[in-house]
Amino acid sequence: MSVAPLLECKNLSISYAGRAGDVPAVVGFNLTLKPGEAHGLVGESGCGKSSIALAVMRYLGRAGRVVAGQILFRGRDVLAMNDAEMRRVRGGAIAMIYQEPMASLNPSMTIGEQLIEVPRYHEGVGHRDAALRARAMLDRVQMADATRIMHSYPHQISGGQQQRIVIAMALLSNPQLLLLDEPTTALDVTVEAGIVDLIRRISAEFGTSMLYISHNLGLVRETCDRITVMYCGEAVESGPIADVFRGARHPYTRGLFASNPSPAADKNSRPLRSIPGQLPSPRARPPGCLFGPRCEFFAVDRCDAQPVPIAPIAGSGDHSSRCLRVDEIAWDAAPAAISSRAAAVFGEVALQVNALTKRFGSVSANDGLSFEARRGETVAIVGESGCGKSTFAKILMGLLQANSGSVQLAGLELSRLPVTRRNPQTIRALQMIFQNPFDTLNPSHSIGSQIARVIRKLGVQRDAAKVREQVLELLDLVKLPRDFAARRPRQLSGGQKQRVGVARAFAGRPDVVVADEPLSALDVSVQAAVSELLIDIQRRERTTLLFISHDLSVVRYLADRVVVMYLGQIMEQGSTEQVFAPPYHPYTEALLAAVPIADQHYTKRKVLLSGEIPSASNPPVGCRFCTRCAYRIPGTCDRLAPPLQQVAPDHQIACHLPREQLAAMRPVFEEVTP
Amino acid sequence: MRNLVVRRAIQMLLIMLTVSLLLFAIFDSDQFREKAAVAELGGFGIATLSADDYHEWLQKKGLNEPFLARYAQWLKAVAHGDLGRSVEKDVAVATLLKESLANTAILAFFVLLGLIPIALTLGVLAGMNEGSRLDRVISVAAVITTSIPQIATAVLLTVILALGLGWVPAKSAMTDGWSFRPLVLPLLTLLLYDIGYLVRMTRAAMTEVMASQYIRTAVLKGLPPWRVIMKHALRNALVVPVTLIFLELNGLLSQVVVVEVFFQYAGFGRMLFDAANFGDIQVLQAATLVAIAVAVVSQLLSDAAYTFLNPRVRFK
């Protein structure tokens, strides 16, 4: 006999009341979660995955409502419970961990007070005992210095620590089910690795079941037993992790995998394929299969005839798919070949950075940065928050002035030249693509007028007719329909807005484009398309692209050269192939090992990284990475600045380790031989 | 925290010095001096004041000294509580000011006594359940009371409560000694508007807090509703309203001009109005100084309260 399920969603449908009637968020969702099982819920933004978790907690806000179906927890219908029962379930039997730990903690209560509440109100434990239990739990989530933490306010500790507090708070009531809503999305990758490790350990130790909501396939693969892929409020595929990752049986899942860059594979061996089209609006859902309009296997009059049910795949155990043609598609056939790009040819040096240093009081945000970027080259600057990559971008753009050192653009010194004193020619030559396409377009101007303004301001073209002509050409360039010129930003999707951002940056035919995390606000399937576009335009225009990112997978895919930064200094730089293969700087190695990978063809080596990023105002003496480094040589690394070792032509590593030891490092990713 | 207070206190002193210099310079101009001379020498002075008489008067008053010397002298006198004499009433300005400020303070005290509990409670109740029936009733009422100018409220209340129902006297001159009943109309006039305003601010702060993620955390921790409101929401929601209450002190000083004049209540606003009508320069000068002092002090208190209530500012 099988074990009784802990959580069951039966035919669950959730809608949100809008001005023009109800908008469905989740339709006919089914889920069975057994005790001790971890189930991943994956999908892009707006697919309804968070609504499911909030519905389990019966917290859908005033607008949200379960319109059909049941949510059974231990066989009891959550929707039928009275308020007192619900309170016992919330934070008792079911606990939740949230995406943004800072926002999820009360800013005006100490962490101790917030932890102590849980045993106080769930078990009626006295204040002293509750405090003891809170402290013990802090130890279990590996928080050092528990006494100080208990008396701190949330803003006084780091993001990673905040998330450990939220986890400790969830575990204090010894829940049977944990709902994790993108618990590491707001965190740096090495911090994420620590939290994921903690979550895995906890589920093993406490036997807690987990519903793990994420957009990150790699994370789900590394933490869950089963996975459900959602699209437009429907589950499209569900099954054991190994089955789904080895043999996806829905075109959307397949598309997600194909558009997900892997830090393990280089770009020529596995080019990205984006999913064509875009998510349908919840009000205008296509007939039949919701994925139909974007599907390469779409069959007219069959796929759009009637709603497609999710059904078990014949002979597969419990792997099911919402695809009519699941038995007809040759799933294992290689996808149609993509014409590979010719290797870029780099020209003369376009941007030369030399010993650039920027201090804010005692914080040295940039400390002696030196590198160069050639014409037509994509140079990625990689690092976690606080590494100084954004400070560098601001100096380059003229929003900040450096304390010393130089930045030269075609011989012109920029490091102390504020943007207000730069001539239009220089501004035209150096443009930027911003992280958040939602905030960087003016909502009250049309797309066309915003691009036209750039063309006029940069002095490219003044004649009205010619400006208009150029706007249309730019829209062609970024593959947006020409009639978008008359649209307002709110009528565009995130990916489309970012295309406008690209068009705006390239309007003046710049020599150098700085792209500050241009993809991180976008969904995976859109990311692929925008990054392809970026490379295409850059190759054609022979622009130098400075790509600032924390995402190593994207960097491996896009960049020709990589600069790895940590606490304001460059740890390693070299060509992409060099940086992603041994010898590594120990920090690069840790960064790579921290990236969750979705690709079944690779295994990852575990690299231990201790502690958190130290405060930039009080950086460690000697090597700045020494406090977290697994290879630390006591007496050397914590006293002397590391030498810059030239391990190969054009490949530099700032490290004390002897060259032989660096050379002997094993690759972080290894291909699995089938 | 203490640093902030010290820094702000120094700022405050500098502001007061600057303002006093400006005030002195303005009231020291020839126009005003001539006006003062006319007032002091009597009604006939207007016709008869010759240039010689005027100079003699200046000489006698010591007004021919250099500007800065006179400013220093004036400052010293102010510091010693000598604010000059009221020409109209023929009493020391300090005495006049003390009485009228005391009366206004009584009014302000009762305003705050009603305002704080009523407005905060209504605002919190409205903001707790955004869009609920209670919220809509409270919000609409608040919009109405803040939409009517105080002078109109004063007229309406007089017509209804005093002339119509005869419950309270229409005027608050209190010629037969102090009593509470004449205070009701000015109080209600001030309260209606101020409660509406503070309710709207409190409601806005409360709805924002209730929609925040940490309230979601608190609810999904399984805490009882009263605990979520009292412990998690209020502390954060009241930061803005509390700072506003301190700023309200300053706002009251302007509002009382309308209300006290209308109801003939012998307070600061009434005094200011009379002095302006009569051209009682030294009274005006002193009243302006006091008004600015109140403004600066209420700013200081408001900042201190904000810092105290907000750990993110308190513990950097």
Side-chain angles (χ1 to χ4, degrees):
Chain A
M1 251 327 270
S2 63
V3 211
L6 183 69
L7 180 77
E8 267 183 296
C9 294
K10 287 186 175 168
N11 221 4
L12 180 68
S13 294
I14 303 167
S15 287
Y16 287 91
R19 253 182 278 173
D22 280 7
V23 181
V26 174
V27 180
F29 177 79
N30 288 295
L31 172 88
T32 306
L33 186 65
K34 296 196 189 83
E37 194 176 51
H39 196 118
L41 213 50
V42 173
E44 297 179 279
S45 50
C47 73
K49 54 193 192 299
S50 295
S51 295
I52 291 171
L54 290 173
V56 170
M57 283 295 214
R58 228 170 72 186
Y59 193 82
L60 286 168
R62 288 181 72 82
R65 196 162 52 90
V66 172
V67 287
Q70 274 184 316
I71 301 169
L72 303 177
F73 179 66
R74 289 183 298 199
R76 296 257 296 114
D77 190 350
V78 171
L79 303 171
M81 288 183 187
N82 64 30
D83 287 351
E85 278 178 288
M86 202 60 224
R87 271 204 297 283
R88 278 197 292 280
V89 169
R90 287 173 175 168
I94 310 179
M96 190 154 173
I97 294 164
Y98 313 89
Q99 177 167 2
E100 288 172 62
M102 176 71 176
S104 303
L105 292 169
N106 193 325
S108 64
M109 284 170 73
T110 61
I111 285 161
E113 285 179 277
Q114 300 189 52
L115 289 173
I116 287 168
E117 275 182 335
V118 177
R120 291 264 283 160
Y121 283 88
H122 277 289
E123 295 161 53
V125 178
H127 191 274
R128 273 180 60 97
D129 290 340
L132 284 177
R133 279 182 45 183
R135 291 205 38 169
M137 191 51 83
L138 287 183
D139 292 340
R140 295 183 79 166
V141 297
Q142 295 156 329
M143 290 281 290
D145 208 0
T147 314
R148 184 182 62 82
I149 298 286
M150 290 281 282
H151 291 102
S152 300
Y153 286 93
H155 70 278
Q156 294 173 308
I157 60 176
S158 72
Q161 288 175 318
Q162 287 165 355
Q163 194 60 297
R164 282 174 198 268
I165 297 295
V166 174
I167 292 173
M169 199 185 285
L171 293 176
L172 266 173
S173 60
N174 222 337
Q176 290 163 295
L177 171 60
L178 269 184
L179 305 174
L180 302 107
D181 189 2
E182 305 264 11
T184 57
T185 307
L187 304 176
D188 272 321
V189 61
T190 58
V191 182
E192 169 180 85
I195 297 283
V196 168
D197 202 47
L198 176 69
I199 291 171
R200 240 183 329 219
R201 224 167 31 77
I202 284 164
S203 65
E205 191 180 326
F206 292 71
T208 318
S209 301
M210 299 197 294
L211 188 60
Y212 196 119
I213 293 163
S214 180
H215 68 284
N216 188 327
L217 288 165
L219 264 184
V220 167
R221 178 188 165 211
E222 292 183 5
T223 45
C224 296
D225 308 311
R226 294 178 60 84
I227 180 176
T228 296
V229 181
M230 299 203 51
Y231 182 76
C232 282
E234 289 183 347
V236 293
E237 181 163 0
S238 181
I241 289 285
D243 292 1
V244 175
F245 278 75
R246 203 176 300 127
R249 286 294 177 269
H250 191 280
Y252 176 64
T253 316
R254 213 163 104 110
L256 272 187
F257 280 122
S259 59
N260 195 23
S262 165
D266 80 81
K267 58 182 154 193
N268 300 320
S269 77
R270 195 175 156 279
L272 288 191
R273 294 162 55 87
S274 60
I275 303 175
Q278 52 175 315
L279 281 173
S281 120
R283 292 181 191 284
R285 295 152 79 92
C289 174
L290 295 181
F291 188 64
R294 303 175 71 184
C295 183
E296 56 179 314
F297 304 106
F298 183 71
V300 186
D301 289 343
R302 274 185 67 200
C303 294
D304 54 359
Q306 56 198 354
V308 181
I310 188 162
I313 297 164
S316 72
D318 55 357
H319 185 179
S320 46
S321 163
R322 197 185 283 272
C323 181
L324 273 184
R325 306 189 58 198
V326 65
D327 297 326
E328 303 164 27
I329 296 170
W331 295 103
D332 296 325
I338 293 179
S339 58
S340 62
R341 254 187 308 269
V345 187
F346 310 134
E348 71 284 11
V349 172
L351 190 76
Q352 174 95 46
V353 183
N354 209 338
L356 190 75
T357 296
K358 171 69 186 173
R359 284 182 301 271
F360 300 102
S362 63
V363 178
S364 64
N366 283 174
D367 188 6
L369 305 187
S370 297
F371 66 94
E372 56 185 42
R374 297 177 169 275
R375 182 133 191 247
E377 189 177 35
T378 300
V379 176
I381 303 177
V382 185
E384 298 178 279
S385 50
C387 75
K389 53 191 196 294
S390 298
T391 302
F392 171 73
K394 283 180 184 158
I395 293 171
L396 194 55
M397 300 312 288
L399 301 172
L400 289 174
Q401 276 72 57
N403 294 95
S404 64
S406 76
V407 178
Q408 293 196 327
L409 176 73
L412 180 68
E413 178 58 45
L414 294 178
S415 62
R416 275 171 291 278
L417 189 63
V419 66
T420 46
R421 286 184 22 226
R422 292 182 183 179
N423 62 36
Q425 203 48 36
T426 312
I427 293 175
R428 185 199 57 75
L430 188 56
Q431 282 293 307
M432 187 151 182
I433 301 171
F434 300 95
Q435 171 168 15
N436 194 333
F438 303 89
D439 294 342
T440 43
L441 292 176
N442 188 329
S444 51
H445 289 264
S446 71
I447 299 301
S449 74
Q450 295 192 55
I451 300 176
R453 186 182 159 80
V454 178
I455 296 171
R456 282 196 307 272
K457 280 282 164 190
L458 294 180
V460 181
Q461 200 60 260
R462 301 222 177 259
D463 178 63
K466 284 190 180 148
V467 169
R468 205 167 321 130
E469 184 53 34
Q470 202 153 6
V471 167
L472 298 179
E473 282 170 15
L474 278 166
L475 287 174
D476 293 344
L477 182 72
V478 297
K479 300 186 178 127
L480 286 175
R482 287 189 160 203
D483 63 343
F484 270 41
R487 293 204 187 176
R488 311 257 161 197
R490 70 180 133 75
Q491 294 168 288
L492 271 58
S493 71
Q496 290 169 337
K497 281 184 200 168
Q498 197 56 302
R499 284 170 192 263
V500 175
V502 172
R504 199 163 59 168
F506 280 91
R509 314 202 69 178
D511 301 324
V512 176
V513 168
V514 180
D516 187 0
E517 306 265 10
L519 307 175
S520 64
L522 305 177
D523 274 319
V524 189
S525 69
V526 183
Q527 269 187 13
V530 174
S531 57
E532 287 297 320
L533 174 82
L534 205 53
I535 299 192
D536 277 351
I537 299 176
Q538 184 230 3
R539 287 283 160 84
R540 199 175 326 157
E541 306 273 320
R542 304 243 302 139
T543 317
T544 304
L545 188 64
L546 273 191
F547 186 78
I548 295 173
S549 180
H550 70 282
D551 187 338
L552 287 161
S553 318
V554 175
V555 164
R556 175 144 203 194
Y557 191 68
L558 281 180
D560 302 308
R561 277 168 51 74
V562 179
V563 174
V564 181
M565 284 183 69
Y566 183 78
L567 280 180
Q569 293 180 339
I570 294 178
M571 296 286 125
E572 175 172 2
Q573 61 174 306
S575 73
T576 306
E577 289 72 31
Q578 288 168 337
V579 171
F580 279 78
Y584 303 111
H585 186 284
Y587 176 58
T588 313
E589 185 191 33
L591 266 184
L592 287 174
V595 183
I597 48 171
D599 197 331
Q600 286 274 340
H601 302 98
Y602 292 89
T603 55
K604 191 172 74 176
R605 187 154 57 84
K606 203 173 158 86
V607 176
L608 279 174
L609 194 57
S610 53
E612 295 209 2
I613 303 177
S615 151
S617 60
N618 187 19
V621 185
C623 174
R624 293 202 166 175
F625 185 58
C626 73
T627 52
R628 302 174 72 196
C629 183
Y631 303 92
R632 180 179 49 241
I633 311 168
T636 303
C637 294
D638 49 9
R639 286 181 46 214
L640 304 171
L644 199 59
Q645 301 194 45
Q646 192 81 34
V647 290
D650 239 16
H651 185 194
Q652 299 172 333
I653 295 179
C655 188
H656 283 295
L657 290 182
R659 187 168 291 225
E660 310 77 64
Q661 196 177 349
L662 287 175
M665 283 181 163
R666 283 197 299 117
V668 171
F669 306 112
E670 264 167 313
E671 202 160 350
V672 186
T673 38
Chain B
M1 181 80 186
R2 187 189 297 155
N3 248 339
L4 174 104
V5 173
V6 169
R7 210 169 51 227
R8 295 307 297 262
I10 293 170
Q11 268 177 19
M12 213 175 98
L13 267 177
L14 286 176
I15 292 173
M16 289 303 299
L17 273 178
T18 318
V19 165
S20 69
L21 184 64
L22 278 175
L23 267 180
F24 185 77
I26 291 167
F27 287 113
D28 195 57
S29 64
D30 254 345
Q31 268 164 297
F32 278 105
R33 276 194 287 186
E34 213 162 315
K35 212 171 171 195
V38 170
E40 196 175 314
L41 294 175
F44 296 118
I46 302 165
T48 57
L49 186 69
S50 66
D52 283 348
D53 292 343
Y54 178 52
H55 277 287
E56 198 180 316
W57 180 78
L58 284 181
Q59 194 75 40
K60 198 176 83 194
K61 287 275 174 189
L63 289 176
N64 277 338
E65 304 263 318
F67 175 78
L68 280 177
R70 274 183 291 120
Y71 172 63
Q73 231 167 22
W74 176 72
L75 213 56
K76 213 169 108 188
V78 169
H80 283 93
D82 176 9
L83 293 162
R85 274 191 93 73
S86 159
V87 186
E88 187 197 2
K89 310 237 161 87
D90 198 29
V91 285
V93 173
T95 319
L96 195 62
L97 204 58
K98 218 183 290 168
E99 280 170 15
S100 63
L101 271 178
N103 282 339
T104 297
I106 293 169
L107 190 60
F109 170 78
F110 284 111
V111 168
L112 292 180
L113 197 68
L115 171 71
I116 294 170
I118 297 175
L120 293 187
T121 311
L122 289 179
V124 166
L125 283 176
M128 247 166 64
N129 281 307
E130 192 185 358
S132 66
R133 181 166 303 208
L134 184 65
D135 173 30
R136 271 177 287 168
V137 170
I138 294 174
S139 297
V140 168
V143 168
I144 291 172
T145 65
T146 44
S147 312
I148 306 174
Q150 281 177 333
I151 188 71
T153 317
V155 173
L156 278 175
L157 286 175
T158 307
V159 169
I160 297 168
L161 295 181
L163 306 180
L165 299 166
W167 289 350
V168 286
K171 294 299 172 197
S172 321
M174 300 194 198
T175 38
D176 310 326
W178 200 86
S179 67
F180 184 75
R181 273 172 33 103
L183 215 56
V184 170
L185 285 183
L187 250 181
L188 278 180
T189 309
L190 289 171
L191 272 178
L192 272 178
Y193 181 89
D194 290 345
I195 288 177
Y197 175 73
L198 195 57
V199 161
R200 289 170 70 176
M201 293 300 157
T202 311
R203 176 190 177 273
M206 189 70 186
T207 48
E208 198 190 312
V209 167
M210 289 308 288
S212 72
Q213 297 190 22
Y214 57 83
I215 292 299
R216 179 178 71 184
T217 308
V219 172
L220 296 189
K221 256 184 195 176
L223 297 180
W226 60 266
R227 169 91 185 170
V228 174
I229 299 289
M230 300 303 286
K231 188 77 194 175
H232 285 263
L234 277 188
R235 175 75 184 266
N236 294 293
L238 289 185
V239 174
V240 173
V242 166
T243 56
L244 281 176
I245 288 170
F246 285 107
L247 293 179
E248 185 64 30
L249 287 177
N250 184 30
L252 265 176
L253 222 46
S254 329
Q255 297 177 19
V256 289
V257 177
V258 174
V259 173
E260 290 180 355
V261 170
F262 185 88
F263 291 109
Q264 295 175 13
Y265 181 70
F268 178 82
R270 176 87 186 281
M271 182 198 77
L272 193 63
F273 181 79
D274 287 349
N277 268 345
F278 192 80
D280 205 343
I281 287 158
Q282 293 193 318
V283 176
L284 280 179
Q285 204 172 16
T288 317
L289 212 54
V290 167
I292 288 161
V294 171
V296 176
V297 171
S298 58
Q299 290 279 359
L300 174 71
L301 289 176
S302 162
D303 280 1
Y306 183 79
T307 312
F308 179 73
L309 289 174
N310 201 336
R312 273 169 294 188
V313 183
R314 197 158 22 124
F315 305 103
K316 268 281 169 57

